[in-house]
Amino acid sequence: MDRIPIFLTLTGGVVHEKGLLSQDLPPWLAKITERICEESGLFPSAINHVLINEYLPNQGIMPHQDGPAYYPVVAILSLGSPVVMDFTPHSRLNSCKSTVMESVVDKTSDVKAAEIEGNDGQDKHQPFSVLLMPRSLLIFKDDAYSGKKYKYDNSVLMTTDYLHGIEDNAVHRLDKVVNVIEALSALSGSTSSEAEVIRSEDSKTVNRTMSRISLTCRLVLKVHKNLFKF
Ligand SMILES: O=C(O)CCC(=O)C(=O)O
Ligand SMILES: [Fe+2]
């Protein structure tokens, strides 16, 4: 069973335990990340690291938390086949509030943002899923306690309390998906992958018939400009 995307490219540099050995993002990508920063207002400085993954229809990524090297906000731009991303509460959790914010970039490049509550703080840490359509942007962050603290400009930020992952299965179920209506209503054309989801909605599944490319955009706080010191 494959649990790792087949194609993986790092842009922005290599994340090392001591921080990012940085490289400039290519201009086409910097344009995208600058827009994400501006429109979301969630990153305290420019996104400096992008991971590009390609998933075959039956490939996913195991439930995980992103490492402590990153500022705890991640923006994932999806292209190609739709997939369902699952958010599973970390077993040690007891109470917090978590927010998922999805922005959908439509055909005219306007950015529409819809806030989706993963839970409301009463209903503690329920698992939930998000349908990631092609051309959609998922941004997630968490302000809940997890035991690890980040310091940035004197404010203390917390790591995420949920694991996130994608099942390595060519068919994804929609039953825990919190944004089916928003995801489908954002469709204005009908490319084959989009029509695929609409057709399969009755059966509450998404059929992944082609590969998916994701751009995972993050900010590494500690940056080393030079790999070698002379
Ligand atoms: O490819 C994705 O959509 C998710 C990637 C991810 O979670 C990661 O690289 O940490
Ligand atoms: Fe991740």
Side-chain angles (χ1 to χ4, degrees):
M1 185 162 40
D2 285 326
R3 303 294 283 176
I4 299 172
I6 52 163
F7 164 76
L8 194 145
T9 306
L10 297 168
T11 57
V14 177
V15 183
H16 183 266
E17 58 182 12
K18 293 214 161 69
L20 177 70
L21 305 171
S22 80
Q23 282 175 341
D24 288 342
L25 294 177
W28 66 268
L29 189 52
K31 248 165 79 176
I32 296 172
T33 55
E34 279 161 21
R35 179 135 183 243
I36 292 171
C37 269
E38 277 167 27
E39 302 269 354
S40 72
L42 291 172
F43 292 88
S45 58
I47 288 168
N48 57 11
H49 190 261
V50 180
L51 188 63
I52 303 179
N53 287 332
E54 181 181 12
Y55 299 83
L56 291 178
N58 63 350
Q59 283 187 311
I61 186 165
M62 67 173 74
H64 67 279
Q65 286 187 298
D66 295 347
Y70 302 102
Y71 180 80
V73 176
V74 57
I76 301 174
L77 185 60
S78 294
L79 301 168
S81 206
V83 291
V84 170
M85 180 174 278
D86 301 312
F87 288 81
T88 322
H90 204 284
S91 52
R92 60 178 149 59
L93 299 173
N94 42 33
S95 73
C96 86
K97 184 176 172 184
S98 175
T99 302
V100 172
M101 184 163 129
E102 194 205 26
S103 300
V104 179
V105 182
D106 73 10
K107 298 271 184 287
T108 57
S109 292
D110 291 333
V111 173
K112 295 175 201 151
E115 244 189 45
I116 301 160
E117 291 287 311
N119 64 49
D120 62 4
Q122 309 293 316
D123 187 12
K124 314 259 194 274
H125 289 105
Q126 296 300 306
F128 66 96
S129 305
V130 178
L131 176 57
L132 303 182
M133 295 298 287
R135 301 170 59 82
S136 72
L137 181 70
L138 172 75
I139 302 177
F140 62 91
K141 65 184 184 73
D142 204 315
D143 55 3
Y145 180 76
S146 75
K148 277 190 186 159
K149 293 177 183 173
Y150 291 83
K151 269 196 190 284
Y152 187 80
D153 281 352
N154 296 325
S155 55
V156 179
L157 305 156
M158 306 301 176
T159 54
T160 181
D161 279 344
Y162 282 84
L163 304 175
H164 55 281
I166 297 170
E167 261 187 35
D168 48 355
N169 194 328
V171 179
H172 281 177
R173 294 178 60 84
L174 294 174
D175 39 340
K176 291 209 176 75
V177 168
V178 293
N179 68 325
V180 177
I181 292 165
E182 290 87 346
L184 296 182
S185 70
L187 302 177
S188 49
S190 60
T191 66
S192 53
S193 65
E194 290 166 346
E196 208 176 287
V197 176
I198 297 167
R199 271 203 307 278
S200 61
E201 200 206 355
D202 289 344
S203 58
K204 300 279 182 230
T205 58
V206 171
N207 299 317
R208 301 167 66 193
T209 55
M210 54 183 202
S211 57
R212 166 179 182 260
I213 308 275
S214 66
L215 280 71
T216 301
C217 307
R218 288 179 284 215
L219 166 61
V220 182
L221 295 173
K222 256 199 217 164
V223 175
H224 297 277
K225 285 279 174 212
N226 298 308
L227 181 51
F228 302 108
K229 277 194 179 153
F230 298 101

